[in-house]
Amino acid sequence: MSLQTNPRESALAQFTNLPDEAGARMPLARSVLGCSSATVWRLAKSGKITSRKISQGVTVFNVGSIRALLSEGI
């Protein structure tokens, strides 16, 4: 029998190991911030987190800017 981990806990564990310069894809950013995709996009549009388009249809969000936002208490 295999033990299943909570996807949010798994995402948070992965996030803590990333350097500030890394990029987080939407599912990870959404999980860490605890909000919807639309809210992540609004945060990026407002400049509260930085994003970078790495290819057509693929955007990553800067881990350091997410950490800064979390330390502010959103």
Side-chain angles (χ1 to χ4, degrees):
M1 179 162 80
S2 67
L3 297 175
Q4 293 185 3
T5 60
N6 180 337
R8 180 160 165 76
E9 289 175 11
S10 178
L12 290 174
Q14 178 185 357
F15 185 77
T16 58
N17 294 326
L18 293 173
D20 283 344
E21 300 80 24
R25 299 276 306 268
M26 177 60 78
L28 179 58
R30 188 178 60 224
S31 181
V32 169
L33 291 168
C35 61
S36 69
S37 297
T39 299
V40 174
W41 284 116
R42 278 192 291 272
L43 290 168
K45 185 175 180 180
S46 70
K48 292 184 179 180
I49 61 174
T50 57
S51 63
R52 184 178 78 237
K53 189 172 185 110
I54 59 174
S55 69
Q56 185 175 352
V58 180
T59 300
V60 293
F61 303 90
N62 179 266
V63 169
S65 67
I66 293 172
R67 285 186 179 131
L69 183 65
L70 289 171
S71 71
E72 294 174 9
I74 304 179

